[in-house]
Amino acid sequence: MDIYAKLDPQRFPNMSLPMAAILGFVLERQFTTPALADVQLTPDGHVLGWPAEEEGVGHSLHLGVAADLRANLSRLGIAAGLEQEEWTRFAERVRTQLSLELGPMAGEGDGGGV
């Protein structure tokens, strides 16, 4: 199973639609309708998203706070059973797409978890 299959929201029936939309943005996949065209973290730690569909363009949505998103993405990687190499790729995508650092995989590096 590849990283995209492991992280597919269909494997996690309790995943919220906003989380699935953010994950779709990070992985460049469409898991929700509408998909998110952009996601930005504000300087005060909030997560804003802009829908891709015409009627939603220009209207931002408050999707949560960055600390919660970091924790949720980290827990998702653990729940998905990502191997170290997959975790590294996932963390890099999160860093690139969201400017958010996930840190080392739980149990790696500093010995800490999420």
Side-chain angles (χ1 to χ4, degrees):
M1 185 181 301
D2 71 9
I3 188 172
Y4 299 104
K6 285 183 177 182
L7 293 169
D8 191 317
Q10 291 184 349
R11 292 189 63 221
F12 305 95
N14 293 324
M15 183 182 291
S16 70
L17 286 175
M19 182 64 176
I22 292 168
L23 184 62
F25 178 77
V26 167
L27 298 177
E28 298 178 336
R29 300 281 194 271
Q30 184 169 350
F31 296 131
T32 61
T33 301
L36 292 173
D38 194 18
V39 176
Q40 297 290 320
L41 303 182
T42 65
D44 61 348
H46 291 269
V47 182
L48 301 178
W50 286 264
E53 288 191 4
E54 287 300 317
E55 66 269 9
V57 172
H59 299 286
S60 65
L61 304 168
H62 184 266
L63 301 173
V65 294
D68 290 343
L69 178 58
R70 178 183 297 109
N72 288 336
L73 289 169
S74 293
R75 284 192 289 266
L76 175 63
I78 294 164
L82 297 184
E83 301 293 330
Q84 181 62 55
E85 182 271 331
E86 294 168 327
W87 174 265
T88 301
R89 286 182 23 226
F90 179 54
E92 177 59 28
R93 290 201 68 94
V94 169
R95 182 174 28 263
T96 300
Q97 295 293 92
L98 301 176
S99 300
L100 188 66
E101 294 289 333
L102 291 185
M105 188 167 81
E108 299 292 322
D110 62 13
V114 178

